[in-house]
Amino acid sequence: MYQGKKIVQPPYLKEGDKVALVSPAYWVPQEALQQAAETIRGWGLQPVIGPHTNNLNVNAYAGTADERAADLIWALEDDTIKAVVCSRGGYGSDHLLSRIPQECFQQHPKWLIGHGDVTVLLYAVAGAGVMCIHGPMALQIASNQEPATSLTRNILFGTLPQYKIPGNPYNRIGHAEGILVGGNLSSYSAIAGTKYHLHPKQDIILFIEEVEESLHGIDRMFYMLTLQLDFERVKGIIFGTFSSIKFDLQYGSVEQMLIAHLHELDIPICCGFPVGSNSCIPLIEGASCSLDVTTDSATLTFNMKGSVEPYEIDRTNPQLIRE
């Protein structure tokens, strides 16, 4: 667990810097890796692919757990590499936690990017005191999913988005400040409260998303999260996208069900933020941020070094947000 109060912001990139592509979980086809590499090269950066990244074993992992961990350690310890992009999630990132000392993240602070199953690694990185990016992976970068890819590139080069999204009937009005943490609910709820969490005195703003789960499963995981995580530290909540959900309980939406667990908390809640497996709008985990929710909109601002560019999200764009 990170014992300090200040979380390190990795250096921003400059043209020509190296970016590693690694596979901490499931395997991806070589074509996808090459397409992602071409996109990254188009950003003005130099992509390098981890030695075991394209190794497929019988369980769909990109090599053994030791091989996957070795690739991530290689990318972290090589000081010529300035950022690390995960190829995809799926399952298997948690196998790496016991194989990578937290000191490795602390001693080599650089941007780690991923989402979904990679949530557990992002949690460990932020817990080690280093900021990271919950954002698009190689599969999304290969297909040039916009605006997630361009926003991620902007962050890497030092331009921070200030997100503004339309209001939502389930929102709760208010202002909050804290360290942004979270990610995929099934992954996050499994690791929350373990030794990898942030320093206990730090306030947090929590964000969660989920895909291909039932309401029953989401309800169970979120309820367990309220028991594992000290919710007195939670000063604001962002609910991302919940896609391909099986509605096996009598609720009109996931948000309606989850808010029922939060009736005693007087904190701002933002619903419908386009962060998730299908909408990879990048968020900076471990960063100090402000959440402002009004009747008409919600705004998320990162309070860190870098220029700021307002970005207003259009609810009518199906690529950005679920109706």
Side-chain angles (χ1 to χ4, degrees), residues 6-12 111 131 154-161 284 287-288 301-308:
K6 183 178 180 181
I7 298 180
V8 174
Q9 177 179 322
Y12 290 127
W111 296 106
M131 296 181 195
N154 289 348
I155 292 173
L156 290 176
F157 280 94
T159 299
L160 308 173
I284 305 172
S288 173
T301 305
F302 297 103
N303 304 319
M304 49 189 285
K305 295 178 182 178
S307 60
V308 177

Side-chain angles (χ1 to χ4, degrees), residues 22 131 169 280:
V22 301
M131 296 181 195
C280 301

